[in-house]
Amino acid sequence: MRYFIELAYNGKAYHGWQNQPDAVSVQETLETALFTLLQVSTPVVGAGRTDAGVHASQYFAHFDAEILPDPQKLIFRLNSLLASDIAVYNLFEVHPEAHARFDAISRSYEYHIIQQKDPFFYETAHLVKNELDLDKMNLAAFRLKKHTDFKCFSKSKTDVKTYNCVIKSAIWEQQENKLVFKITADRFLRNMVRAIVGTLLEIGLGKIPVEKLEEIIKSRDRQNAGTSVPAKALFLTGIEYPTSIVEK
């Protein structure tokens, strides 16, 4: 049977989701826990990569196993076995062909900014002390939706067939003492969100005019975009799937 597992993780201690040689990953940690409980090697396929230090408040993966008579009991046992920085929320049966990565319709991310020193957010938010022009940042964010080729925001030497992505929404919001960038797209390139945020921050700081964003995107050159912001403040917050993947 094929199962989807819904989880969340704090990425500080992990070298991203994907298994890495000589580095601890979320995928490896979850596979080890499943092996301990099911007593059989259980490869887990995730919804996609997250870079080292990036968090996920909602993440999905799939694995194949014999019929699980009590999924809720397995969730409880997994959470008892896993460290406190990984939490399993749900486990459900899906169609045998359902795929956590390729069946995803959209993914959503948030990037968190603080503008004054805060002992409660220093590990999960990026500190920008200088004044930011939120209106200009949102004007630039809105213009992102006009484009589909985002090579200028992609990590160099990335093995992808296309740099095209459809951005469905992109907006900055003030949430009490944090500034949060929210973005949803059908897919994302490696390092894309962090490069976008770095570019929008430079616009907000007055280093780049809003109008230059078009030129940067059309150049398809990573060197023309802003510096990538730190991974610690990036959260994968949602993954959408068609309802048809669930086994009836």
Side-chain angles (χ1 to χ4, degrees):
M1 309 298 294
R2 177 154 294 185
Y3 294 90
F4 262 40
I5 186 168
E6 180 185 0
L7 63 149
Y9 55 86
N10 182 314
K12 180 182 178 181
Y14 301 97
H15 202 76
W17 160 264
Q18 193 90 358
N19 282 337
Q20 303 277 340
D22 304 318
V24 179
S25 68
V26 180
Q27 183 181 24
E28 175 191 9
T29 304
L30 183 58
E31 287 177 345
T32 300
L34 283 169
F35 176 78
T36 300
L37 296 177
L38 301 179
Q39 289 297 294
V40 62
S41 177
T42 307
V44 177
V45 178
R49 294 187 178 190
T50 55
D51 290 338
V54 174
H55 319 290
S57 56
Q58 185 184 58
Y59 191 89
F60 288 95
H62 76 253
F63 65 90
D64 296 330
E66 297 296 327
I67 294 177
L68 301 175
D70 192 346
Q72 291 301 314
K73 184 177 181 180
L74 182 60
I75 292 172
F76 176 81
R77 294 176 69 192
L78 278 171
N79 281 322
S80 299
L81 197 59
L82 292 165
S84 56
D85 52 11
I86 301 177
V88 176
Y89 294 141
N90 201 3
L91 182 65
F92 53 94
E93 185 183 339
V94 293
H95 286 296
E97 301 82 16
H99 199 286
R101 178 183 174 189
F102 298 130
D103 284 341
I105 298 172
S106 69
R107 295 168 174 83
S108 298
Y109 283 89
E110 288 185 3
Y111 196 87
H112 293 193
I113 299 286
I114 52 175
Q115 296 218 258
Q116 64 180 14
K117 188 176 180 181
D118 192 319
F120 300 105
F121 293 119
Y122 77 97
E123 288 189 317
T124 55
H126 177 44
L127 176 62
V128 179
K129 294 182 179 179
N130 295 335
E131 184 177 353
L132 293 166
D133 190 324
L134 187 59
D135 290 336
K136 287 184 178 179
M137 290 161 64
N138 262 327
L139 179 58
F142 181 79
R143 292 186 178 185
L144 289 170
K145 295 187 292 182
K146 294 168 54 180
H147 300 271
T148 54
D149 186 332
F150 294 104
K151 185 177 181 180
C152 70
F153 297 127
S154 174
K155 188 172 183 177
S156 301
K157 299 179 182 178
T158 299
D159 183 22
V160 294
K161 295 180 180 179
T162 174
Y163 293 95
N164 287 354
C165 308
V166 177
I167 294 179
K168 301 179 180 181
S169 64
I171 190 170
W172 288 91
E173 294 180 356
Q174 187 73 51
Q175 297 182 2
E176 297 181 349
N177 60 338
K178 283 197 297 185
L179 189 60
V180 180
F181 177 63
K182 296 183 176 183
I183 186 168
T184 298
D186 63 337
R187 65 189 288 264
F188 287 92
L189 305 168
R190 290 197 66 187
N191 201 55
M192 179 174 165
V193 179
R194 291 164 60 195
I196 286 175
V197 172
T199 304
L200 295 182
L201 286 176
E202 291 195 14
I203 289 172
L205 291 168
K207 296 180 179 180
I208 299 176
V210 175
E211 294 73 22
K212 193 175 181 181
L213 180 66
E214 307 275 340
E215 180 184 326
I216 292 170
I217 294 173
K218 290 178 180 178
S219 76
R220 306 182 79 240
D221 189 340
R222 178 66 187 89
Q223 294 184 347
N224 291 333
T227 303
S228 290
V229 286
K232 68 175 184 177
L234 181 61
F235 294 77
L236 174 59
T237 57
I239 306 173
E240 183 184 3
Y241 293 94
T243 56
S244 59
I245 69 168
V246 180
E247 186 69 60
K248 299 297 182 182

